[in-house]
Amino acid sequence: MDQPLPAPTPQLGFMLVDAGRLYRARMDGAFEHAGLGLTPGEARALAYVNIHRGLRQTALAEKMSVEPMTLVGFLDRLEGLGLVVRESDPTDRRAKIVVLTPAAQPYLEGVELAASKVRADATRGFSDLERAQLRDFLDRIRGNLARECTSREGAPRETRTKEARR
């Protein structure tokens, strides 16, 4: 008589992708309901500009994992609201660097409040030590994967972009 195979344990990659997908969906919902008048993409773009200050538009699109034209739409709207400006890169006037304006601060506070609620939900039941360990583990995974890209392709694209600015 054939025994059913035991259910396989999900592989780490599937778990990371699934957790990331669910986290992103929750974060998008939180941004939609934050009352900021921003789409989730615009809220994410604003947060990325804040975290990665002084980046060119192309590098910012890469960090966000969106097409450059998608980012342009987000930035057009954010610029129209007076939250960002695009300035010429002093090392290459054809390239644009995205800069926050002082008017962005209340929006950033709203984005952070919405994000903090999702983070709290995602890590409910975790101790402070476990939250720190999770952050460390994810940072190490990211670093390992970035190094793997470096060894296969030369410098990772984000590094090549930064070096091109120098």
Side-chain angles (χ1 to χ4, degrees):
M1 184 169 179
D2 289 336
Q3 294 287 335
L5 293 174
T9 302
Q11 298 295 318
L12 177 62
F14 289 118
M15 294 172 67
L16 285 170
V17 168
D18 201 34
R21 178 187 56 78
L22 292 167
Y23 192 83
R24 169 85 179 260
R26 288 288 303 274
M27 195 66 75
D28 284 355
F31 292 153
E32 282 178 13
H33 296 97
L36 299 170
L38 301 176
T39 67
E42 293 162 356
R44 273 194 321 280
L46 193 64
Y48 270 83
V49 171
N50 187 44
I51 294 166
H52 303 286
R53 295 180 181 203
L55 279 187
R56 289 181 177 183
Q57 278 185 206
T58 53
L60 190 61
E62 190 173 309
K63 288 241 181 241
M64 290 182 64
S65 297
V66 299
E67 292 297 320
M69 287 307 298
T70 300
L71 178 63
V72 166
F74 297 153
L75 294 178
D76 285 348
R77 173 98 159 82
L78 294 172
E79 195 168 39
L81 293 169
L83 306 181
V84 300
V85 293
R86 289 175 268 198
E87 299 176 348
S88 294
D89 184 331
T91 63
D92 181 353
R93 295 182 53 85
R94 296 168 297 173
K96 298 295 182 189
I97 294 174
V98 185
V99 179
L100 294 171
T101 68
Q105 190 57 41
Y107 287 85
L108 287 168
E109 290 168 5
V111 166
E112 175 52 32
L113 180 61
S116 69
K117 291 176 183 174
V118 174
R119 277 193 307 271
D121 287 345
T123 58
R124 184 179 298 119
F126 287 34
S127 69
D128 289 343
L129 175 60
E130 289 171 325
R131 283 184 191 91
Q133 288 174 324
L134 175 62
R135 185 177 187 85
D136 179 58
F137 294 152
L138 291 172
D139 190 48
R140 287 165 49 193
I141 288 170
R142 182 176 54 192
N144 290 342
L145 295 173
R147 275 189 291 286
E148 178 65 23
C149 288
T150 300
S151 66
R152 276 190 283 134
E153 303 170 2
R157 291 193 325 184
E158 68 184 55
T159 302
R160 289 193 305 254
T161 303
K162 287 179 186 175
E163 289 174 357
R165 287 196 323 206
R166 292 182 183 149

